[in-house]
Amino acid sequence: MKTNLTGNVANAIMVISTILYLLSALNPSISTRLFRDASYLREGFCIYHSPTSWYLNSHLLCVYIDAIGALALYVMSVKWESYDREAMKKVKENTVGIIGHGFGHFFLYLNYPPTPAPFP
């Protein structure tokens, strides 16, 4: 059975990240010390509104990163299609979900206008 080292490493990182987040969510004292800053504790789940710029909002930043990531995955899937056609087809199909995730954040931004809170 042939395994893909890169895929295994990526999956291991995802599992470790998920476990760390779950531990931080379940135990606030650990999460406060290790993973969360003052704005996270004040505003909630990763919501950031820049007091000086409308485009530095966590929802809009997700849109930007999702668009860049989806484009990068699409380009890689086209470039490496000859390496493993079936795997690259799945990668290409997943770019739609990534773009959809970005649009979800965009609609959250439109429906819940930012109200910048002062930094402590």
Side-chain angles (χ1 to χ4, degrees):
M1 178 174 170
K2 181 181 174 185
T3 61
N4 182 331
L5 179 62
T6 305
N8 290 340
V9 170
N11 286 329
I13 290 170
M14 295 280 276
V15 168
I16 291 168
S17 297
T18 301
I19 291 170
L20 288 174
Y21 179 76
L22 285 174
L23 288 174
S24 75
L26 295 174
N27 190 339
S29 66
I30 291 174
S31 62
T32 302
R33 287 192 313 258
L34 297 177
F35 303 113
R36 297 180 184 169
D37 62 5
S39 68
Y40 185 103
L41 295 171
R42 182 182 62 246
E43 297 184 37
F45 180 72
C46 301
I47 303 300
Y48 172 75
H49 306 293
S50 171
T52 59
S53 176
W54 65 268
Y55 59 87
L56 288 177
N57 171 284
S58 59
H59 290 303
L60 291 179
L61 292 172
C62 284
V63 174
Y64 310 148
I65 297 301
D66 283 349
I68 292 167
L71 179 63
L73 284 174
Y74 184 81
V75 168
M76 287 188 291
S77 70
V78 170
K79 182 177 179 180
W80 294 330
E81 191 170 17
S82 62
Y83 173 71
D84 187 343
R85 186 174 305 277
E86 190 61 32
M88 292 303 114
K89 180 182 176 196
K90 291 177 184 177
V91 170
K92 198 179 295 185
E93 290 169 353
N94 283 323
T95 59
V96 175
I98 295 169
I99 293 293
H101 178 258
F103 277 120
H105 277 282
F106 182 68
F107 291 123
L108 283 172
Y109 173 77
L110 292 178
N111 289 316
Y112 299 99
T115 54
F119 288 120

